Amino acid sequence: DQQVKQNSPSLSVQEGRISILNCDYTNSMFDYFLWYKKYPAEGPTFLISISSIKDKNEDGRFTVFLNKSAKHLSLHIVPSQPGDSAVYFCAVNNAGKSTFGDGTTLTVKP
Amino acid sequence: DGGITQSPKYLFRKEGQNVTLSCEQNLNHDAMYWYRQDPGQGLRLIYYSQIVNDFQKGDIAEGYSVSREKKESFPLTVTSAQKNPTAFYLCASSISRDPQNIQYFGAGTRLSVL
């Protein structure tokens, strides 16, 4: 039973527009939710996180929204840039252990 | 320049052979992790260690072994019992007391079977 799902394997957007990446989870006990970004042949790097007690966290062009009632997490990137093209993983934390989604490949076209 | 170093970048395994993937960190992190990534899939946890001389199985530990004799090092051995070892292997570390458990990853080792 997959605890974290990213239902869209890929997303393509035009430069300057908004990118919205989605993540659904099953366990309401998760305390932190994170997004990582991964370029080919590299390890993921931490991007942004949100605590379960908040519903929004913003860092520059990146905003993460948490809807606890729907068990849904989303990452908004605006404006999108070609350098944002990468695989994005959501991760959920419980008691110091992380579970990752399958990732969404974002392509930002110039 | 702090970070996590994985070696080698590419590794080939023959049938029946054990191979060891190296992971070294100089971030002074207590916790270290090994993940496996298959094409189109997320990261699946193989083993993790919260402290020296202690480690726990993750979700897919069968066919793998680890050791944590030093804080800086967490090598992963892919044994001959792992029948489908071809994958991208990622090592990570984190601060144990960080409730967010932000993990810092190495560049990975790509293992293939000859």
Side-chain angles (χ1 to χ4, degrees), chain B residues 8-21 36 46 60-65 76-87 89 109-114:
Chain B
K9 196 172 180 68
Y10 299 95
L11 187 59
F12 297 91
R13 192 190 90 166
K14 296 180 181 178
E15 290 287 340
Q17 185 182 41
N18 293 353
V19 292
T20 297
L21 285 62
R36 170 181 171 139
I46 304 173
I60 55 165
E62 186 174 348
Y64 300 97
S65 66
L76 173 74
T77 297
V78 184
T79 74
S80 57
Q82 173 48 248
K83 297 306 179 188
N84 184 23
T86 298
Y89 290 86
T109 293
R110 187 165 298 281
L111 176 62
S112 302
V113 177
L114 291 175

Side-chain angles (χ1 to χ4, degrees), chain A residues 17-87:
Chain A
R17 307 294 290 267
I18 186 170
S19 297
I20 300 176
L21 298 98
N22 296 301
C23 180
D24 295 302
Y25 61 95
T26 57
N27 188 343
S28 58
M29 297 302 292
F30 294 130
D31 48 14
Y32 278 91
F33 304 84
L34 295 82
W35 285 95
Y36 289 82
K37 176 179 179 179
K38 182 183 181 300
Y39 293 116
E42 294 183 11
T45 55
F46 169 72
L47 187 58
I48 191 170
S49 65
I50 187 167
S51 162
S52 60
I53 62 173
K54 294 187 176 181
D55 53 20
K56 177 182 175 181
N57 186 30
E58 192 173 349
D59 183 4
R61 296 186 298 114
F62 303 91
T63 303
V64 56
F65 294 93
L66 178 62
N67 182 333
K68 287 185 287 291
S69 61
K71 296 189 177 68
H72 181 80
L73 181 71
S74 64
L75 174 68
H76 293 211
I77 306 173
V78 55
S80 301
Q81 299 174 354
D84 296 329
S85 297
V87 179

Side-chain angles (χ1 to χ4, degrees), chain B residues 8-62:
Chain B
K9 196 172 180 68
Y10 299 95
L11 187 59
F12 297 91
R13 192 190 90 166
K14 296 180 181 178
E15 290 287 340
Q17 185 182 41
N18 293 353
V19 292
T20 297
L21 285 62
S22 170
C23 178
E24 303 278 332
Q25 56 101 355
N26 60 5
L27 299 169
N28 200 32
H29 287 171
D30 290 309
M32 296 187 75
Y33 310 82
W34 274 105
Y35 293 92
R36 170 181 171 139
Q37 187 187 17
D38 292 283
Q41 295 190 30
L43 282 62
R44 291 186 291 167
L45 183 64
I46 304 173
Y47 268 98
Y48 64 105
S49 168
Q50 301 282 8
I51 198 169
V52 174
N53 292 323
D54 188 42
F55 49 82
Q56 285 79 40
K57 292 182 179 180
D59 301 318
I60 55 165
E62 186 174 348

